[in-house]
Amino acid sequence: MLHLPEADAALRTCRAAEAADREIRHLLAYGREFHGDRPYKLEPLAQASGMTPSGIRTAYASSEIQTVARQIGRARRPPLPPPPAAEPA
């Protein structure tokens, strides 16, 4: 079998990038679903991750939420109630 150092390096780099992406999704899930009484706001998370605020909402799925819950040993924070309706002027 032919050994190509460049191919090995490319494969290692690809795996490292995939691991970094996975870690970012877990951190976003933690920040939005588990942190304190309120989720981290979208804008700071977007700036920190290089995503858009709308991208943060879809960056992680239930599988990432379940992984974080297992890792930290607790359930996610209950959802916030909807804001009160504005009163007519």
Side-chain angles (χ1 to χ4, degrees):
M1 178 151 81
L2 181 62
H3 177 70
L4 299 173
E6 294 83 4
D8 289 343
L11 181 59
R12 283 192 309 274
T13 302
C14 182
R15 288 183 177 158
E18 289 169 353
D21 287 342
R22 188 171 41 255
E23 182 68 16
I24 289 169
R25 290 192 308 273
H26 291 157
L27 290 168
L28 293 173
Y30 175 81
R32 293 292 295 166
E33 306 293 335
F34 294 90
H35 179 263
D37 295 337
R38 304 187 69 75
Y40 273 103
K41 293 187 178 195
L42 294 172
E43 189 61 38
L45 290 174
Q47 290 175 354
S49 65
M51 297 179 179
T52 63
S54 61
I56 297 298
R57 290 186 175 134
T58 60
Y60 61 91
S62 61
S63 61
E64 283 87 17
I65 294 170
Q66 292 169 359
T67 297
V68 171
R70 275 193 312 275
Q71 288 175 339
I72 65 173
R74 65 179 169 92
R76 67 198 275 194
R77 148 187 73 59
L80 296 176
E87 295 193 23

